[in-house]
Amino acid sequence: MERQTFFADILLPLPLAANFTYRIPSKMVDEIAIGKRVVVQFGQRKIYAGLVVKIHQIIPQFNQIKYILNVLDAEPIVNSNQFKFWEWIAQYYLSYQGEVMNAALPSALKMASESKIVLHPSFNLDYESLSEREFLVVQALELNQILSLTEVGKIVELQTIMPLIKTMIEKSIILPEEEIQNKFKPKTEDYIRLTEPYLQELQLESLSKMLEQRASKQLELLLVYIQYSNYFNKEPMPVSKTLLLKKSGVSNAVLNAMLNKGIFEVYEQNASRLMHRKSTKLVSDLELSEKQNIAFNEIQTIFNSKDYCLLHGITGSGKTEIYIKLIDQVIKTGKQALLLVPEIALTAQIINRLQSYFGDKLGFYHSKYGSNERVEVWHKVLDNSNNAYQVIIGARSAIFLPFRNLGLIIVDEEHDSSYKQFDPSPRYSARDAALFLTKLHGAKCLLGSATPSIETYYQAINGKYGLINLNERFSKVELPLIHIVDTVEASKRKQMKSHFSTLLLEKMKIALDQKEQIILFQNRRGFSLRIICEACGWTPSCNNCDVSLTFHKNLGKLKCHYCGATKEVPELCPECGRKKLIMKGFGTEKLEEEIPFFFPEAIVKRMDLDTMRSKNSHLQLINDFEDRKIDILVGTQMVTKGLDFDFVSLVGVMNADNLLFYPDFRSFERSFQQITQVSGRSGRKNKQGNVIIQTSQPNHAVLRNVLDNDYIKMFESQIEERKNFRYPPFYRLIRISLKHKESQLLNEGANVFADLLRPELGSRVLGPEFPLIGRIKNLYIKDVLIKFEVKASHLAVKKMIREAVDRFFKIKIYRSILFSLDVDPY
């Protein structure tokens, strides 16, 4: 019978437009399946792990067809819905599926292309069976343990070495080093069990009497084992070595003695790296308020006719309780639920609340998890057994998990810009991608926010999404009293002490005297925003970026917040040589230092990017604040993210001007959102809170809207401006950034690229222009903005952009220019 030949199309983690076809060796035909990872050669000396996306018998139209070298998975790790989702992400966000694959897979499931080899563990040193070149490679590996393909080429004096490598892999002489180094390794733990003779009760009784007379410590260990193994049940369970030693209080030597006597035996068992907790509450016991119950029932009614719904609930209205009820309904039908939150800082609180109801059905997925932990979550979402996760809480990357049967997606704080991936590609919005994922799974999607994005609210009032309003705080707690302080007027009246108004200091004293907590929001980290020479106006700037440097006192240095470069603080002005350097502006670090001058007994902590770098730092800080070990929390936008603390009675917005005057069409919307969100942290437990907003523009329209808690008025003014000036939701935006180290070449290239677009897109092409920061990491930047009607085909526009990029790179002198394409920029 003639042997059939099979081929596989492989997706590689590279920014390339096409998949690549490889031949399946006959011995691997039964192993290969769509969604499994395989090892393949790419180029002359590169080895990658790719994903099988198609298996077929169509012979490729080129001469040399490379073979698949190895199969890495026993079962597929990616399902068909994920491939469809990746394809949509790549198409919509002008990226490549290989880039999406890179973003989606946990790092422990990816193989870096080190292109090195090691000896196969099962190679039996049978030198007689080796060819001359194979012997040379084996000999070199015995000396060096690992070799790059370039080194192998030099040893065997061959230009084309992959046929030799392929043969040696097939003969189990060598292995790609990546397969060993990067493959996910399950965590194991030692377990203890009784040996066969002592499973008989008579033998165990005899052993107990003997130990009672001669070895009391061993008897103690045996009794603890009997207790925790449920020995007298039909099937005694093994007991972890760690637990056994801890509960018995005996030394490891006692256990070793019993192992040597053949009483116990030890063996390894896979153990999870993830936290497990049983549920302590029933969802049926969760009582909703009258308003919450109305909203819950209305959401269910909307889901009968629409797939998407916006829950517009004011801060403190109890949206999380509604989420819990909805999730419970979905998982009772056997489906999975995904709760997206904008940042890891927010997951700590909401995880604790949901774990009390869903226990070990709940998993969470975010960047602070280690790579092996992320793989465990991946497998528990993919799993089809009773051990699978039914509920996932995660930040934006959680949308890439391998859901089997997704029934509900909840996007909490849907307005938040943290849902947007900025670099690298794909530059996707998890909120918008969640809408497509909803459709793909035939699921439902709930968007929740006290301050919805303009685009989302517009879709809701125009009927594309359902709209539910929740205008009452849980337990009828009143919204906080908001006070606006005019810092210009306060300075004239000598009512500013450093960066604190006298009103803010008075309210802080009252709160601390009453043992209440305070949050201070300043959207700048560091100590001083800039250093300036009073004599000549010189300001230190970054050598790599067009930005001034920020002084960080804990470092004792000036730091760039874009590239991370640092400089020493000069004693004299390098421009005029005078000692007239003063500090202007303030960040969170300076606030943290100044507060003890006013309140020396208060415990102050800071929550910003500088203090939240370690794995569990955010969780520790939030727990300490919840446990009232911290009196005053100073932070950047992290403190605005929906955190819920019962004893916060005062919020201070230290400088609202930083938010109001940022040159962006979304600045008013974002100012309203951030100030409203941080204000909502105040007054959470049967007491009205206070909010102090310090600004030089007390009559600004946005601040008036915040004062009146009037989202609708803010929306109406902004939607009118968006319509008049052709911005979303009436127009779509695509920003194309071109970057190069030579400004002249960049200017020429950017003009040429814009001219390639104009014949078909005309006045929809704006620029090229320098952005607000025109140089970052020694690369100059020029932006071209495409602004086109919502009614226009976005696929057609994106096709024109792709074609223009392809034509541009055919011009040799511009090939070194870097491109960054951002669809729906935030």
Side-chain angles (χ1 to χ4, degrees), residues 87-147:
E87 185 179 356
W88 178 84
I89 291 266
Q91 182 187 67
Y92 187 85
Y93 290 103
L94 284 169
S95 60
Y96 297 101
Q97 285 194 58
E99 293 175 314
V100 182
M101 172 184 168
N102 248 336
L105 289 182
S107 57
L109 292 180
K110 294 184 279 191
M111 272 177 28
S113 180
E114 295 294 332
S115 303
K116 295 179 180 180
I117 58 166
V118 295
L119 277 176
H120 198 293
S122 65
F123 177 58
N124 59 7
L125 307 180
D126 179 13
Y127 300 116
E128 297 294 326
S129 64
L130 301 178
S131 69
E132 184 180 347
R133 287 192 172 112
E134 289 171 349
F135 177 76
L136 289 172
V137 174
V138 168
Q139 192 177 46
L141 283 171
E142 287 176 338
L143 292 171
N144 299 291
Q145 279 78 53
I146 185 168
L147 292 173

Side-chain angles (χ1 to χ4, degrees), residues 582-629:
I582 60 168
M583 293 185 181
K584 290 278 189 180
F586 64 98
T588 50
E589 189 182 15
K590 190 170 187 181
L591 290 176
E592 182 186 29
E593 183 182 272
E594 287 190 348
I595 291 168
F597 289 110
F598 302 106
F599 306 104
E601 303 299 320
I603 299 170
V604 185
K605 292 291 181 182
R606 177 161 50 101
M607 187 179 193
D608 59 23
L609 191 61
D610 295 324
T611 60
M612 295 291 105
R613 294 187 184 278
S614 62
K615 183 174 181 179
N616 293 312
S617 52
H618 69 288
L619 182 60
Q620 185 62 53
L621 186 69
I622 288 169
N623 287 341
D624 286 349
F625 197 62
E626 271 191 308
D627 295 340
R628 303 178 75 182
K629 295 176 183 177

Side-chain angles (χ1 to χ4, degrees), residues 405-463:
N405 189 11
L406 194 57
L408 175 68
I409 302 176
I410 298 171
V411 186
D412 191 31
E413 309 295 352
E414 66 81 27
H415 65 276
D416 201 288
S417 59
S418 298
Y419 284 123
K420 176 71 171 178
Q421 163 81 8
F422 291 101
D423 274 311
S425 182
R427 295 172 182 86
Y428 67 95
S429 161
R431 177 198 65 196
D432 298 343
L435 301 178
F436 178 80
L437 195 61
T438 298
K439 186 177 179 182
L440 186 64
H441 282 267
K444 303 295 179 184
C445 182
L446 180 68
L447 306 169
S449 178
T451 55
S453 67
I454 299 288
E455 292 92 330
T456 298
Y457 197 77
Y458 177 80
Q459 299 293 357
I461 63 173
N462 282 282

Side-chain angles (χ1 to χ4, degrees), residues 43 47 84 93 137-138 180 199 202 205 253 340 351 360 419 444 453 471 500 540 559 566 599 619 624 662 734 747 825:
I47 295 175
K84 291 174 188 173
Y93 290 103
V137 174
V138 168
I180 294 174
L199 293 177
L202 288 175
E205 187 178 344
L340 288 174
I351 281 169
D360 56 11
Y419 284 123
K444 303 295 179 184
S453 67
N471 297 320
F500 298 82
K559 184 176 181 180
T566 58
F599 306 104
L619 182 60
D624 286 349
Y662 191 80
I734 299 175
N747 285 334

Side-chain angles (χ1 to χ4, degrees), residues 240-522:
S240 91
K241 179 180 173 181
T242 305
L243 177 68
L244 194 58
L245 292 174
K246 182 180 177 182
K247 294 298 181 182
S248 64
V250 304
S251 68
N252 200 46
V254 176
L255 175 59
N256 287 335
M258 297 182 77
L259 290 169
N260 292 334
K261 289 178 182 178
I263 298 170
F264 285 136
E265 59 185 4
V266 63
Y267 71 102
E268 280 189 348
Q269 186 170 303
N270 284 356
S272 175
R273 295 175 172 87
L274 307 174
M275 290 192 305
H276 292 284
R277 201 171 89 183
K278 294 293 181 184
S279 53
T280 57
K281 300 177 184 176
L282 297 174
V283 177
S284 56
D285 294 336
L286 178 62
E287 289 189 18
L288 300 181
S289 69
E290 183 183 352
K291 294 284 187 183
Q292 285 176 316
N293 206 50
I294 291 170
F296 174 68
N297 291 327
E298 286 179 344
I299 290 168
Q300 292 177 296
T301 302
I302 285 171
F303 279 159
N304 289 330
S305 57
K306 295 181 188 292
D307 293 333
Y308 315 116
C309 180
L310 170 64
L311 175 59
H312 181 200
I314 62 171
T315 54
S317 56
K319 294 186 287 293
T320 305
E321 286 74 17
I322 295 174
Y323 298 163
I324 290 169
K325 286 280 192 180
L326 289 168
I327 289 169
D328 184 56
Q329 278 197 338
V330 166
I331 66 174
K332 280 178 178 174
T333 66
K335 294 187 176 182
Q336 294 170 304
L338 168 63
L339 172 56
L340 288 174
V341 293
E343 278 194 13
I344 186 175
L346 193 57
T347 60
Q349 278 196 320
I350 204 164
I351 281 169
N352 289 335
R353 294 177 71 178
L354 268 71
Q355 268 192 326
S356 64
Y357 288 101
F358 300 113
D360 56 11
K361 295 177 185 175
L362 173 74
F364 35 102
Y365 192 79
H366 49 62
S367 59
K368 293 294 182 183
Y369 254 2
S371 57
N372 285 323
E373 291 168 315
R374 287 163 75 90
V375 173
E376 284 200 30
V377 176
W378 186 278
H379 285 306
K380 283 183 75 79
V381 173
L382 187 63
D383 193 359
N384 204 17
S385 72
N386 292 331
N387 294 320
Y389 282 145
Q390 288 185 272
V391 187
I392 288 289
I393 303 175
R396 63 173 179 260
S397 59
I399 62 166
F400 292 117
L401 285 167
F403 296 101
R404 294 168 288 98
N405 189 11
L406 194 57
L408 175 68
I409 302 176
I410 298 171
V411 186
D412 191 31
E413 309 295 352
E414 66 81 27
H415 65 276
D416 201 288
S417 59
S418 298
Y419 284 123
K420 176 71 171 178
Q421 163 81 8
F422 291 101
D423 274 311
S425 182
R427 295 172 182 86
Y428 67 95
S429 161
R431 177 198 65 196
D432 298 343
L435 301 178
F436 178 80
L437 195 61
T438 298
K439 186 177 179 182
L440 186 64
H441 282 267
K444 303 295 179 184
C445 182
L446 180 68
L447 306 169
S449 178
T451 55
S453 67
I454 299 288
E455 292 92 330
T456 298
Y457 197 77
Y458 177 80
Q459 299 293 357
I461 63 173
N462 282 282
K464 185 174 181 180
Y465 309 159
L467 174 61
I468 304 297
N469 292 299
L470 191 55
N471 297 320
E472 181 180 281
R473 277 187 150 191
F474 188 69
S475 298
K476 298 187 178 179
V477 174
E478 292 182 86
L479 285 166
L481 285 170
I482 298 176
H483 314 266
I484 296 179
V485 174
D486 183 345
T487 53
V488 175
E489 188 65 26
S491 295
K492 288 178 184 177
R493 295 174 179 270
K494 309 294 184 186
Q495 293 176 346
M496 292 294 294
K497 295 183 180 179
S498 184
H499 307 293
F500 298 82
S501 63
T502 52
L503 177 62
L504 178 56
L505 290 173
E506 286 169 10
K507 294 291 185 183
M508 289 175 72
K509 185 178 186 309
I510 293 168
L512 293 171
D513 287 346
Q514 295 177 350
K515 307 297 183 187
E516 294 166 345
Q517 292 173 298
I518 301 163
I519 291 176
L520 298 180
F521 169 52
Q522 167 64 359

